[in-house]
Amino acid sequence: MHVTHLSLADFRSYARIEVPLDPGVTAFVGANGQGKTNLVEAVGYLASLGSHRVSSDTPLVRMGAERAVIRAAVTQGERSQLVELELNPGRANRARINRSSQVRPRDVLGIVRTVLFAPEDLALVKGDPGERRRFLDELITARSPRMAGVRSDYDRVLKQRNTLLKSAAMARRHGGRGMDLSTLDVWDQHLAQVGAELLAQRLDLIETLQPLTDKAYEQLAPGGGPVALEYRSSSAGAEGAASGGAGAEAPRSREELYAQLMAALAGTRKQEIERGVTLVGPHRDELLLKLGQLPAKGYASHGESWSYALALRLASYDLQRAEGNEPVLVLDDVFAELDARRRERLAELVAPGEQVLVTAAVDDDVPDVLAGVRFTVADGTVERT
Ligand SMILES: Nc1ncnc2c1ncn2[C@@H]1O[C@H](COP(=O)(O)OP(=O)(O)OP(=O)(O)O)[C@@H](O)[C@H]1O
Ligand SMILES: [Mg+2]
């Protein structure tokens, strides 16, 4: 798919902007702080309902404005659609498809697809486990938009269960007789049910992503691998944890994963009531990224970490393409961070994409193979050059 037109109103630094786009490569070039990332961030938001830079919507709305609107015309094969999102920080966002009446924001998922490479990706390798969980879950949602509902159900159930645990913890501390724990049983079942669904999708994704990531790493940094993705499940049994979490012999079916989660919740309940928080479940799991025999986090060099992050993004691209969904490739400021060899390799790998959006501070940072349309971004204006 590709975006044929992007309109922004009160998004970030833009009061109003209209940007017609072509398939193929488009580069946005301009000095620091001129609004290049703001443009591609908007495209990314349509694909994931979130920004790759911030977790709240507030900074996305132009200072002084009340709401922001992102609108895009999208072409997939013969089909054209118009998607629109209105961001209302502190209130519900609104969405429309083809100017029709309101739909839920999550209904627009799957219309715009992106794989976004950005300097922030280094956190995929070096950052907290939450970064890697988000990577997995965003890709899961891109593969199967209905998973957005499962993710938000999980978050909701987790929050309610934590509230319950907190009040149980309070009751204990204040010497009460403790509360009726039968409600907790019900929440355990909810959590295990939704958690099993999420877990099954993550395990399936990792299995598919593993060979693609290894291939991409080899292309970017020949001879530097192999890389391995290992899922460390907080709910896997003692033997499972010792052999590296969910290994080959770990449970895979929903029923088995449900049983695994229920057993883990039962096993940690006492501790959970003491601490007032849910200690096992997909929200506590870790995706271990290994380079050779060592974990990348804490061991890999800066350059290796970068190659790893890029390999994960390239693998997500290959995966979606293989499943018949060609996403827009967005490369925000990544070439300036790479040495000449990896720059050329990455450029060659992404160049054939149906649509590639690149941002760079100077023309020289855009590799020659990515010659295409150029826009100059300056002072809130975006002009084709
Ligand atoms: N909500 C907002 N309201 C007004 N201006 C904003 C808002 N959010 C960001 N900006 C402005 O947008 C500019 C940053 O834009 P952006 O990140 O797109 O820059 P860039 O061109 O990508 O720069 P760089 O080359 O440094 O990455 C900053 O000057 C910032 O002050
Ligand atoms: Mg930028």
Side-chain angles (χ1 to χ4, degrees):
M1 50 102 6
H2 65 273
V3 176
T4 54
H5 193 95
L6 177 70
S7 321
L8 302 178
D10 291 329
F11 183 86
R12 290 281 197 185
S13 51
Y14 294 104
R16 253 212 106 81
I17 189 117
E18 304 288 335
V19 189
L21 293 167
D22 293 325
V25 180
T26 298
F28 298 97
V29 181
N32 296 141
Q34 299 301 304
K36 306 179 297 292
T37 301
N38 294 346
L39 286 175
V40 293
E41 184 181 37
V43 179
Y45 195 100
L46 290 174
S48 64
L49 302 182
S51 154
H52 69 287
R53 294 196 286 188
V54 287
S55 54
S56 121
D57 285 349
T58 308
L60 305 180
V61 176
R62 193 168 67 96
M63 193 52 83
E66 235 168 73
R67 65 183 70 87
V69 177
I70 310 172
R71 193 180 299 128
V74 176
T75 294
Q76 164 130 45
E78 302 282 283
R79 190 162 178 224
S80 293
Q81 292 191 87
L82 193 66
V83 281
E84 184 180 312
L85 277 179
E86 184 185 287
L87 277 52
N88 299 302
R91 285 176 299 130
N93 291 345
R94 284 142 55 114
R96 294 201 300 170
I97 300 174
N98 296 329
R99 298 190 192 283
S100 68
S101 54
Q102 307 266 330
V103 293
R104 289 173 310 177
R106 77 163 85 128
D107 294 329
V108 314
L109 286 170
I111 299 179
V112 175
R113 290 171 180 275
T114 59
V115 170
L116 199 147
F117 299 71
E120 286 80 1
D121 286 346
L122 206 50
L124 273 179
V125 181
K126 297 190 176 218
D128 295 337
E131 302 279 351
R132 289 174 288 283
R133 288 193 295 265
R134 189 159 63 106
F135 166 75
L136 292 176
D137 291 348
E138 278 184 2
L139 194 50
I140 284 169
T141 312
R143 290 176 91 189
S144 148
R146 72 167 190 92
M147 285 303 293
V150 173
R151 281 172 69 192
S152 69
D153 284 351
Y154 186 81
D155 292 344
R156 188 175 45 81
V157 171
L158 180 65
K159 219 166 136 188
Q160 301 197 349
R161 190 173 183 277
N162 281 342
T163 306
L164 200 64
L165 285 171
K166 237 175 242 129
S167 43
M170 287 279 270
R172 262 179 62 109
R173 247 173 259 143
H174 292 93
R177 281 198 302 116
M179 55 189 293
D180 173 17
L181 292 176
S182 60
T183 337
L184 200 53
D185 291 338
V186 178
W187 286 107
D188 283 8
Q189 287 164 24
H190 284 319
L191 194 84
Q193 221 145 37
V194 196
E197 176 98 28
L198 193 56
L199 207 45
Q201 294 279 343
R202 283 190 189 167
L203 294 173
D204 179 64
L205 172 64
I206 289 166
E207 199 170 284
T208 319
L209 210 54
Q210 157 67 46
L212 298 174
T213 312
D214 194 46
K215 187 186 100 197
Y217 195 92
E218 177 62 23
Q219 286 169 323
L220 288 167
V227 304
L229 313 183
E230 282 181 18
Y231 196 73
R232 297 287 170 103
S233 177
S234 59
S235 58
E239 358 53 287
S243 70
E249 73 291 1
R252 286 285 157 135
S253 76
R254 299 290 138 91
E255 293 72 25
E256 285 171 311
L257 293 169
Y258 175 80
Q260 171 183 311
L261 280 160
M262 285 300 282
L265 288 168
T268 47
R269 177 176 280 196
K270 203 168 149 262
Q271 227 185 323
E272 288 189 329
I273 291 176
E274 270 161 25
R275 309 248 315 252
V277 63
T278 302
L279 295 170
V280 290
H283 67 291
R284 288 277 178 138
D285 294 352
E286 162 71 305
L287 170 65
L288 181 69
L289 305 175
K290 282 173 80 177
L291 179 58
Q293 292 306 307
L294 296 170
K297 182 177 170 169
Y299 291 88
S301 74
H302 185 76
E304 287 170 337
S305 302
W306 244 113
S307 297
Y308 214 129
L310 294 172
L312 286 168
R313 294 294 179 200
L314 281 170
S316 337
Y317 175 54
D318 280 348
L319 171 68
Q320 293 189 63
R321 215 167 31 160
E323 292 179 344
N325 299 305
E326 166 100 27
V328 177
L329 282 161
V330 178
L331 295 104
D332 182 23
D333 237 358
V334 292
F335 293 111
E337 307 258 350
L338 300 174
D339 59 42
R341 218 181 57 173
R342 280 180 309 163
R343 187 192 275 227
E344 287 314 312
R345 287 188 189 270
L346 178 63
E348 279 161 20
L349 291 169
V350 299
E354 179 175 336
Q355 186 168 51
V356 186
L357 307 178
V358 180
T359 77
V362 289
D363 270 317
D364 286 351
D365 282 344
V366 185
D368 293 340
V369 271
L370 295 180
V373 176
R374 296 258 158 128
F375 283 90
T376 303
V377 182
D379 280 339
T381 62
V382 180
E383 265 164 41
R384 197 167 165 153
T385 39

